[in-house]
Amino acid sequence: MENQMEKEKNIKKILLGCSIAAVVILAVIFAVSFFGKGKSDIKDTDVVAVVNGDNITVKQAKFYIYMSQANYETYAVLSGQEIDWESEAEDEDGTMINAANVLREEAMQILYKQVLFMQKAKEWGLTLNDEEKAEVKEEVDKFYKESDDDLLDRLGADRELINSIYTDVKMYTKVCEKILEDKEITVTDEETHQGMFSMAIIDSSKTDSPEDTGKAMLDRIKAGESIKYVADVYGVELSVGNVGKNTFKNELGELCLSLKTGESGMVTVGDYTYVVFCENDDDKEATEIAKEQLIEEKEAAIIDEYFTELKKSATIDLKEDVLKKIKVKGNIITSEDVEKYTTSDAEPEDK
């Protein structure tokens, strides 16, 4: 819903104004299948960076660059959009940033964290036990079992790479657990309380009198007609979702949080008028999920802070000339690919 209200002013305009889509398995599939394509004047064994004496190779960097590319393109396909990896946008500080360079930078940050955390694992004497090694093997086997023959042909002999990735993820998790073991993380009900709302979104660029339309819709809803029916009558977009204290830090959020179950209201924010109906002012299931998510966010913040401090004291030698030679070419993922490797449950229309 936020994307209806504001547009990013930085590089995220290129990358669809969103975080990396959580379509990890699909991204892995296409990152690996794209991995060896195209001629290059660099070799997979070439070194792209050295972190405290440990090498990061072109092979590793390529994988994570293509992983990010695949994630963004998956989201783009699902959103009916396209990404031009050669395009540029103005960042918040006024500098021009190339979209492909964003992928490269993201990949290197992931790899820096991975190498530094693996070095910490060695320092702390952390290893994978037999049970954890078996879990890695099971996850890798499952990955290959769920991939069809055509995909496996495209993957080639990269099972070693997939195995190393799952192994690193498992070890990374152990390092994170070690970092968090003496941290007490709490969240309050006020921070995470969620309500469920239906929201008719009236775009002023598509409606001559958005507030008059909103008032007319609100009157019909208060008279007993469903917001879905009214939105359909007026041809207005309807969004349904949870809203909490930090979802909308503006008049829209204030309106939602003021409504009790069955109540409705209207507010205009920027170019949009919102007609809101409160389906449930105390969505307990969503609140529990929000608590878990907030705990994860706080844990991630602690881990990121630890990484930032670790990086400050690290000796990192980035071979920028090598990194720039890793080409970012579109597109790894097509609509046919997404349709083939994902499924969606269509909601039946109300009658």
Side-chain angles (χ1 to χ4, degrees):
M1 287 184 279
E2 285 178 297
N3 286 340
Q4 295 289 340
M5 299 165 52
E6 24 181 305
K7 293 184 179 180
E8 297 292 337
K9 294 182 179 180
N10 55 25
I11 191 61
K12 289 185 180 179
K13 287 190 293 186
I14 295 177
L15 303 180
L16 305 175
C18 67
S19 60
I20 297 178
V23 195
V24 177
I25 291 299
L26 185 63
V28 171
I29 287 171
F30 288 101
V32 176
S33 65
F34 188 73
F35 189 73
K37 295 185 177 180
K39 295 181 179 179
S40 175
D41 56 354
I42 53 174
K43 294 181 284 189
D44 284 350
T45 54
D46 287 347
V47 174
V48 70
V50 182
V51 181
N52 291 337
D54 287 342
N55 292 338
I56 295 175
T57 66
V58 166
K59 181 177 183 179
Q60 293 170 294
K62 282 167 64 177
F63 178 81
Y64 283 102
I65 288 170
Y66 298 149
M67 168 75 86
S68 290
Q69 182 180 355
N71 270 315
Y72 282 121
E73 290 180 358
T74 298
Y75 184 87
V77 170
L78 293 173
S79 304
Q81 301 179 56
E82 295 182 358
I83 301 176
D84 177 6
W85 293 110
E86 297 302 318
S87 63
E88 293 186 342
E90 187 174 332
D91 201 6
E92 292 175 343
D93 63 2
T95 59
M96 298 303 293
I97 302 179
N98 178 269
N101 286 338
V102 172
L103 294 183
R104 296 186 183 100
E105 175 61 21
E106 284 183 355
M108 295 314 298
Q109 291 304 314
I110 292 170
L111 285 163
Y112 292 155
K113 180 183 282 189
Q114 179 179 305
V115 172
L116 289 169
F117 277 26
M118 294 308 103
Q119 290 172 350
K120 271 295 172 184
K122 186 176 181 180
E123 177 185 327
W124 291 337
L126 300 178
T127 58
L128 297 185
N129 58 36
D130 290 342
E131 182 180 350
E132 290 165 334
K133 289 178 182 177
E135 288 173 355
V136 170
K137 183 179 183 305
E138 183 179 338
E139 288 164 358
V140 173
D141 289 343
K142 182 180 179 182
F143 174 83
Y144 275 85
K145 184 178 180 181
E146 292 178 351
S147 304
D148 62 24
D149 292 339
D150 173 61
L151 176 59
L152 291 174
D153 287 341
R154 293 165 67 186
L155 288 173
D158 269 309
R159 189 182 183 97
E160 180 181 353
L161 177 64
I162 296 298
N163 185 75
S164 70
I165 290 168
Y166 277 101
T167 300
D168 286 347
V169 168
K170 184 72 72 175
M171 184 59 74
Y172 175 89
T173 301
K174 296 192 74 165
V175 173
C176 291
E177 290 171 352
K178 178 75 173 175
I179 294 169
L180 295 168
E181 66 180 4
D182 61 345
K183 305 293 189 299
E184 185 176 348
I185 299 173
T186 58
V187 297
T188 65
D189 289 341
E190 182 183 5
E191 287 179 291
T192 58
H193 183 269
Q194 300 285 309
M196 174 67 76
F197 299 85
S198 291
M199 191 177 300
I201 306 171
I202 306 168
D203 186 342
S204 62
S205 68
K206 300 177 181 178
T207 307
D208 291 335
S209 303
E211 291 195 7
D212 289 342
T213 300
K215 289 175 183 177
M217 293 176 66
L218 185 61
D219 287 343
R220 294 181 67 160
I221 293 165
K222 287 186 173 182
E225 294 179 318
S226 75
I227 188 171
K228 183 181 185 309
Y229 174 76
V230 174
D232 286 343
V233 169
Y234 282 84
V236 172
E237 175 189 351
L238 185 69
S239 179
V240 180
N242 291 104
V243 175
K245 179 181 178 181
N246 297 313
T247 307
F248 301 113
K249 295 183 179 181
N250 56 19
E251 296 92 335
L252 176 58
E254 292 172 4
L255 172 62
C256 290
L257 298 180
S258 71
L259 298 176
K260 299 299 182 182
T261 301
E263 294 181 345
S264 55
M266 186 189 85
V267 66
T268 297
V269 181
D271 295 329
Y272 297 90
T273 295
Y274 300 86
V275 179
V276 182
F277 180 81
C278 180
E279 306 283 356
N280 181 1
D281 63 21
D282 186 18
D283 191 332
K284 290 182 169 52
E285 183 178 353
T287 298
E288 285 304 310
I289 293 172
K291 284 182 180 179
E292 294 173 5
Q293 290 175 337
L294 185 55
I295 289 172
E296 289 176 0
E297 288 173 11
K298 290 185 176 185
E299 289 176 340
I302 292 171
I303 291 166
D304 284 342
E305 183 179 357
Y306 187 88
F307 165 61
T308 299
E309 292 303 311
L310 204 58
K311 188 180 171 186
K312 285 179 182 178
S313 60
T315 301
I316 299 176
D317 179 17
L318 173 63
K319 317 291 185 183
E320 292 190 22
D321 57 329
V322 177
L323 182 61
K324 288 179 180 178
K325 290 179 181 178
I326 300 176
K327 304 299 182 183
V328 176
K329 298 179 180 179
N331 289 314
I332 295 176
I333 292 181
T334 66
S335 57
E336 290 79 12
D337 294 326
V338 172
E339 183 177 353
K340 183 175 182 180
Y341 292 107
T342 61
T343 57
S344 60
D345 297 321
E347 296 182 0
E349 294 184 2
D350 292 340
K351 296 184 178 179

